[in-house]
Amino acid sequence: MNADDEDFEWEPPSEAEMKVIQARRERQDKISKVMGDYLLKGYKMLGECCELCGTILLQDKQKKNYCVACQELDSDIDKDNPALNAQAALTQVRERQLAAQPTPESNGTSSNDPPLSITGQPRPEHCEGAASGLRGPALNPQPAPLPVPAVNPPFLPPSNPPLQPVLPPGPTNTLLHHPALSSAEEAVLHKLRWATQELQHSVSVEASIQLCNLIRGCAESLRSLKELQL
Amino acid sequence: MHEECVSLQQSLCVVEVLECVVRRCVGPGGGSVLLTRDTGEIIITRHGQRILNTLHLEHPMARMVLDCVSAHSQVTADGTKSFILLLAALLRGIQNLSDKHGRGHSTAPYLRNLAHRLLAFSYKEFDDIITHKILPNAYFYCNRHGYKSSSILDLLVGGYIAGRLGIGQADILRRVLCEFYHKVSQGQDGVKTITFLHSHFSLLHTTVTGLPIGCSEVIEGLVVTRDWSVWTDPNGSAKALIIHESLGSCLIGASNNISLCVQHDWLSRTDRALEQKLASVLQLQVRVLLSSVKQPETVLQWARLNHIALLECVDSAQLDLLCRISGTETVPHPSLQHLLMLKFCSRVQLGGHRYACLGTFSQGVPQTHTLVLCGPAPGLLDQIVCVSRGAFTLLEHLCQSLISTQLNEYTNSETDNIRETQENCESSVLVSSQPQRSDLDLSQSFLSSQDLWGRIMRAGGVIPVGGTFEFLLHDFLLNARNRGDTESCRLLAEALLCVPRTLFSRRRFLDAQTHLISELKQMTNVQDLSKCSELKFRFNNGSTLPVCLESVSSKQQLVVSVLQCLNRLLCIGAILHTRTPLLTHPSTSSEDEEGETENLHLSDN
């Protein structure tokens, strides 16, 4: 058998690989369960597979094809590392912003920063909102972005402060031209600022969580607004 | 990126989906599925075969699995859901193997090899294990827990029905079916009765819509779903004549040539011919006419005048059955006519219809009775009929397999008689009654025995439900001496536990398993039937009713069928999609054929 020579190189699967296998199996179980439910509702199981994920396609009564995995479950490849997803999204946004504005005048460190942020430790997701929120006030052209990091050590790991100089020039240079969009952005930024200030003064856990959520929501709206333009 | 075998991935996907659909209905505690057809008809069912047939499945692997399931259920009518569960568990086990052991275990040749090994196991060693380990232990269990031969049928049928109908319905149907069997067999040859009931079930049952299930009953005689056209009560037994063509059409005589020249006295000629025929019928002193076609009005008038009961448009299959049961004389008169004696004729009112009921004198077995099944709705009634038919198929399979097992054992015991009697003293119950028979055909001796169910129990043909078979087989497979293939044994053993795992919650599953294994150890140590204690089965919830039984042979057939289906699935190399649309008859779908040809090509190596 030609597998003999492969046997010499074989090692038992490591912990991480077992975890990936386990996660994949759970995902497969979920897919099967959902597909079973759809079959009982009268959907037809086709003989074709989805091109994106390889799951078997279903067809509903209106002859429309439906892939359970793509449309209902999240994409799975890095399911065990969700922070990587948000990270990847943010870095993509930042890269676009960098590509859009050619002059890195205050960004002396900007060329170093993106790589640092990508290869830096993945930030826990709940801090993303806070991180983007705290970048918010720095969007106003302030002379010293440095005080901001000083406030934030309890929230952010140390890889954050280098990021601060990256963003402020970005959004200001890519100000939206359309008046409606710019007013929307202004309103969101205003709310972001207010929420940050409230967060600094809040004492209850519940309120802090809600403020963080608000900040995250504002950051996401800002991101979508920017994407509209790009 | 190593190449994984496409067939394993795809088949695992497909079978897991089917498993998710079917898993919720397994066992007496399982739920029902509500399906709505495109026509708006609603079906509420737990029957695995019906659920799978109602799903829309166009994937070729799914259709192939469905074909295997249908073929299996035609043989035993049992274990459709367990089939899917076991198949899924086996595929998952193979997937685990390939995950743990890396590339070598997930290539197509390795998987095909594994599939062939499993199939080979099912042909040879599996039979041995069943005959020498499972059957004797099944007998020990039944004996130890005090099963009486008179209750075996009840528990067998009850166990079959409980997994397929709701509880209230199951009890009623069980009672009716057992009554049906007993009335037909009248304590005589059980095997012949079961064969008769199984082969003629469609003629021996009548359905009535609109009544509750509790109205189901057994009526003596054969019920014909037509009313008498002319009715006179013959008061007791009467001679009956069976006609297969209309008495009025006597123009075309012996030959088939039709002359188209119409004569002016044509009407009087036909009348005279008809009168002659009717006179000859009267001469035979016939009181009842059974016709498979519609008779002209003149014949009806004549019957009214002469006080002869006439039944028209009877199903010819029923007429054939009547002839077979009662033994007829053939009348030499032209065209197919048979004379027979009927015990009685009556009219019965079933639901909103009036039907004819014909009683026969049957010598010995079987005594003609009809099973009347009532149901409030057509869908439910359909299921009840299906379940009843399946129960008799199961019994038939059990009897046939036991006969063949005993035949094999007899031929083996002839060669080494002494060794067998010295071995298991318990199985000597089988051997000791036969060593003196030299030339007698064993099947005949088995057939003529009166105590069919006692013999079945002693031969180990039945085993309590609830995963006993699976636990036993799991234990024996893991502890088997190393003949052949430990890997496939282990794979099968692990997969077998999927059925009890689905039936029980986790803690009860572990409970049941440990209890069974300890009982097994006790029995193999003690082996003394007279000292069997009053241990009740733990699954019983403390009630004094014995646990229902299931047939060992159908379980054996299930495992073999699953391994064959697995072999087919794993030997698929590729699926080629063609342009021709899927035909409605699943076995002729072009995609399946493509898969099949692929199959043939790749399994040549």
Side-chain angles (χ1 to χ4, degrees):
Chain A
M1 261 175 46
N2 55 1
D4 280 346
D5 43 351
E6 292 175 344
D7 282 343
F8 290 119
E9 304 155 4
W10 174 76
E11 299 148 356
S14 64
E15 271 292 317
E17 281 174 17
M18 285 307 293
K19 276 200 190 146
V20 170
I21 290 175
Q22 184 68 20
R24 211 180 287 158
R25 223 175 277 162
E26 279 169 12
R27 182 168 181 264
Q28 196 58 41
D29 285 343
K30 249 186 262 175
I31 291 178
S32 302
K33 190 163 178 312
V34 174
M35 273 180 76
D37 286 338
Y38 275 114
L39 276 183
L40 285 172
K41 282 192 200 149
Y43 280 50
K44 196 191 288 196
M45 182 196 274
L46 298 177
E48 298 144 9
C49 295
C50 170
E51 291 115 11
L52 299 171
C53 56
T55 325
I56 299 176
L57 285 175
L58 296 173
Q59 190 185 68
D60 62 8
K61 305 262 173 70
Q62 282 82 34
K63 306 276 186 235
K64 208 164 68 85
N65 288 1
Y66 182 73
C67 173
V68 168
C70 294
Q71 295 180 11
E72 283 197 16
L73 304 181
D74 312 324
S75 99
D76 95 301
I77 319 285
D78 302 303
K79 195 81 183 146
D80 48 344
N81 207 351
L84 222 48
N85 270 340
Q87 180 84 343
L90 274 175
T91 49
Q92 210 179 27
V93 170
R94 263 176 249 129
E95 278 169 28
R96 283 202 207 118
Q97 288 160 2
L98 281 178
Q101 44 97 21
T103 56
E105 69 274 334
S106 52
N107 301 344
T109 51
S110 64
S111 48
N112 298 331
D113 294 328
L116 259 179
S117 60
I118 293 170
T119 58
Q121 286 164 7
R123 285 176 295 193
E125 204 172 27
H126 67 273
C127 287
E128 278 299 330
S132 43
L134 289 160
R135 266 175 255 126
L139 288 172
N140 285 337
Q142 280 171 8
L146 294 168
V148 180
V151 188
N152 303 333
F155 298 103
L156 305 170
S159 60
N160 254 351
L163 288 169
Q164 300 307 320
V166 178
L167 271 185
T172 49
N173 281 359
T174 57
L175 261 183
L176 309 160
H177 300 300
H178 200 281
L181 291 178
S182 55
S183 55
E185 197 192 8
E186 186 50 48
V188 173
L189 284 171
H190 177 73
K191 264 295 170 254
L192 204 51
R193 255 172 264 140
W194 169 84
T196 322
Q197 278 157 13
E198 286 297 304
L199 186 63
Q200 286 170 12
H201 301 307
S202 105
V203 288
S204 101
V205 176
E206 214 31 73
S208 311
I209 291 174
Q210 291 185 358
L211 285 168
C212 283
N213 284 337
L214 171 60
I215 290 168
R216 188 191 347 189
C218 294
E220 282 175 16
S221 341
L222 275 176
R223 199 182 305 156
S224 344
L225 284 172
K226 276 169 205 137
E227 271 168 27
L228 269 179
Q229 190 224 3
L230 294 171
Chain B
M1 173 98 148
H2 60 273
E3 35 174 88
E4 287 215 18
C5 185
V6 70
S7 69
L8 180 60
Q9 288 302 313
Q10 289 242 345
S11 32
L12 187 56
C13 267
V14 166
V15 176
E16 274 196 335
V17 172
L18 293 178
E19 185 198 18
C20 285
V21 168
V22 142
R23 177 204 285 269
R24 56 192 87 191
C25 308
V26 171
S32 300
V33 162
L34 183 132
L35 299 160
T36 317
R37 281 225 163 104
D38 290 338
T39 53
E41 182 195 346
I42 293 185
I43 308 171
I44 303 178
T45 176
R46 283 212 278 166
H47 199 144
Q49 182 69 39
R50 187 170 282 259
I51 297 175
L52 290 174
N53 282 342
T54 320
L55 297 177
H56 298 292
L57 296 169
E58 267 188 19
H59 196 284
M61 279 181 173
R63 298 217 69 89
M64 197 171 80
V65 171
L66 214 60
D67 281 343
C68 294
V69 168
S70 313
H72 168 77
S73 82
Q74 267 176 12
V75 174
T76 63
D78 189 20
T80 324
K81 297 178 285 235
S82 318
F83 188 108
I84 303 281
L85 290 179
L86 192 53
L87 188 60
L90 274 170
L91 283 169
R92 241 178 271 135
I94 297 180
Q95 171 87 307
N96 285 350
L97 263 186
S98 62
D99 281 340
K100 270 196 214 138
H101 295 282
R103 291 180 211 186
H105 282 55
S106 64
T107 54
Y110 177 79
L111 287 174
R112 276 203 292 277
N113 183 288
L114 180 61
H116 292 322
R117 275 186 290 157
L118 281 169
L119 196 60
F121 170 80
S122 77
Y123 289 152
K124 298 180 211 127
E125 286 115 358
F126 188 54
D127 252 348
D128 282 340
I129 294 183
I130 294 281
T131 320
H132 293 130
K133 305 275 191 194
I134 304 283
L135 291 185
N137 277 294
Y139 169 50
F140 294 158
Y141 265 94
C142 293
N143 203 35
R144 194 179 163 101
H145 294 274
Y147 285 96
K148 296 188 195 30
S149 61
S150 52
S151 58
I152 298 275
L153 175 66
D154 213 35
L155 294 171
L156 253 181
V157 173
Y160 179 79
I161 295 180
R164 285 159 181 85
L165 289 179
I167 298 179
Q169 304 159 0
D171 276 340
I172 298 172
L173 193 60
R174 179 179 48 86
R175 184 183 45 80
V176 169
L177 287 180
C178 293
E179 187 188 336
F180 185 44
Y181 168 81
H182 287 301
K183 282 199 174 158
V184 173
S185 72
Q186 301 280 4
Q188 305 289 324
D189 192 345
V191 179
K192 214 164 150 193
T193 312
I194 289 176
T195 314
F196 174 71
L197 288 175
H198 170 244
S199 41
H200 299 291
F201 186 75
S202 44
L203 303 170
L204 291 173
H205 81 277
T206 312
T207 52
V208 180
T209 324
L211 292 180
I213 296 179
C215 295
S216 304
E217 54 180 347
V218 180
I219 296 184
E220 192 187 350
L222 195 66
V223 168
V224 179
T225 51
R226 305 277 312 173
D227 191 15
W228 297 96
S229 314
V230 176
W231 171 241
T232 12
D233 195 347
N235 285 329
S237 62
K239 241 188 200 176
L241 182 66
I242 295 183
I243 327 169
H244 288 282
E245 60 169 36
S246 171
L247 286 172
S249 68
C250 48
L251 277 179
I252 304 172
S255 73
N256 280 335
N257 300 320
I258 308 175
S259 120
L260 281 180
C261 135
V262 179
Q263 297 173 326
H264 63 273
D265 60 346
W266 176 76
L267 269 177
S268 53
R269 275 193 185 209
T270 48
D271 278 348
R272 254 178 282 137
L274 180 59
E275 273 170 25
Q276 275 172 0
K277 269 199 178 172
L278 294 178
S280 60
V281 168
L282 271 180
Q283 261 180 353
L284 294 167
Q285 290 178 330
V286 164
R287 313 285 312 144
V288 178
L289 270 180
L290 303 171
S291 159
S292 61
V293 294
K294 190 123 180 67
Q295 299 295 335
E297 189 56 37
T298 37
V299 176
L300 266 73
Q301 282 289 354
W302 167 84
R304 272 184 215 116
L305 287 172
N306 290 291
H307 305 291
I308 294 182
L310 172 63
L311 188 58
E312 295 171 305
C313 303
V314 185
D315 188 17
S316 30
Q318 273 187 319
L319 290 176
D320 286 341
L321 179 65
L322 264 179
C323 295
R324 257 199 308 249
I325 298 176
S326 355
T328 61
E329 340 160 359
T330 315
V331 174
H333 200 274
S335 75
L336 319 134
Q337 296 182 352
H338 302 272
L339 260 188
L340 50 89
M341 281 304 286
L342 288 179
K343 193 167 164 193
F344 63 86
C345 300
S346 61
R347 248 177 172 169
V348 284
Q349 179 85 26
L350 294 174
H353 301 278
R354 252 200 310 227
Y355 293 143
C357 183
L358 309 167
T360 55
F361 293 109
S362 17
Q363 310 92 349
V365 173
Q367 309 286 326
T368 336
H369 284 73
T370 306
L371 178 65
V372 176
L373 294 169
C374 305
L380 183 56
L381 194 52
D382 207 18
Q383 287 179 55
I384 293 175
V385 170
C386 210
V387 171
S388 313
R389 187 180 283 130
F392 288 113
T393 312
L394 177 80
L395 293 174
E396 165 76 0
H397 179 94
L398 174 61
C399 291
Q400 293 306 321
S401 64
L402 230 53
I403 290 176
S404 60
T405 319
Q406 289 217 313
L407 269 174
N408 286 340
E409 273 191 12
Y410 181 59
T411 46
N412 288 340
S413 75
E414 270 204 322
T415 50
D416 38 28
N417 211 350
I418 301 168
R419 189 166 62 87
E420 288 230 349
T421 44
Q422 281 177 354
E423 259 187 23
N424 264 324
C425 54
E426 280 74 18
S427 66
S428 70
V429 171
L430 288 170
V431 178
S432 60
S433 52
Q434 283 119 36
Q436 305 313 318
R437 290 182 214 265
S438 45
D439 301 330
L440 207 56
D441 187 11
L442 188 63
S443 60
Q444 279 192 356
S445 66
F446 190 74
L447 279 175
S448 63
S449 138
Q450 309 239 340
D451 186 17
L452 171 67
W453 304 109
R455 291 184 83 83
I456 285 181
M457 185 174 81
R458 279 192 290 275
V462 292
I463 199 169
V465 296
T468 318
F469 176 83
E470 284 85 10
F471 284 136
L472 274 179
L473 192 54
H474 168 89
D475 198 52
F476 289 130
L477 281 174
L478 288 184
N479 300 335
R481 275 165 263 129
N482 219 346
R483 44 178 158 188
D485 204 358
T486 42
E487 193 178 40
S488 33
C489 283
R490 205 174 304 137
L491 197 63
L492 185 57
E494 284 308 317
L496 275 169
L497 291 184
C498 69
V499 174
R501 260 190 247 267
T502 320
L503 285 175
F504 300 124
S505 69
R506 177 153 181 81
R507 199 173 47 169
R508 284 191 69 208
F509 166 75
L510 293 172
D511 256 353
Q513 189 176 19
T514 40
H515 181 78
L516 218 96
I517 302 302
S518 61
E519 267 207 60
L520 186 64
K521 288 205 173 54
Q522 278 177 27
M523 285 190 321
T524 48
N525 290 339
V526 174
Q527 280 201 358
D528 189 350
L529 298 174
S530 58
K531 280 202 230 149
C532 68
S533 56
E534 283 295 312
L535 275 178
K536 288 275 182 271
F537 237 71
R538 280 273 280 273
F539 313 149
N540 230 343
N541 301 331
S543 68
T544 48
L545 294 171
V547 175
C548 286
L549 298 170
E550 58 188 3
S551 145
V552 172
S553 55
S554 68
K555 286 281 168 183
Q556 179 183 4
Q557 179 64 48
L558 174 70
V559 175
V560 171
S561 309
V562 168
L563 290 175
Q564 285 175 352
C565 183
L566 182 71
N567 188 46
R568 291 176 79 181
L569 277 179
L570 289 181
C571 289
I572 294 179
I575 299 177
L576 306 177
H577 293 275
T578 61
R579 292 263 172 98
T580 51
L582 196 65
L583 301 171
T584 45
H585 188 15
S587 59
T588 56
S589 79
S590 53
E591 281 143 297
D592 267 357
E593 280 166 1
E594 292 291 343
E596 291 282 307
T597 45
E598 223 24 65
N599 211 348
L600 287 169
H601 169 70
L602 287 169
S603 56
D604 275 349
N605 46 353

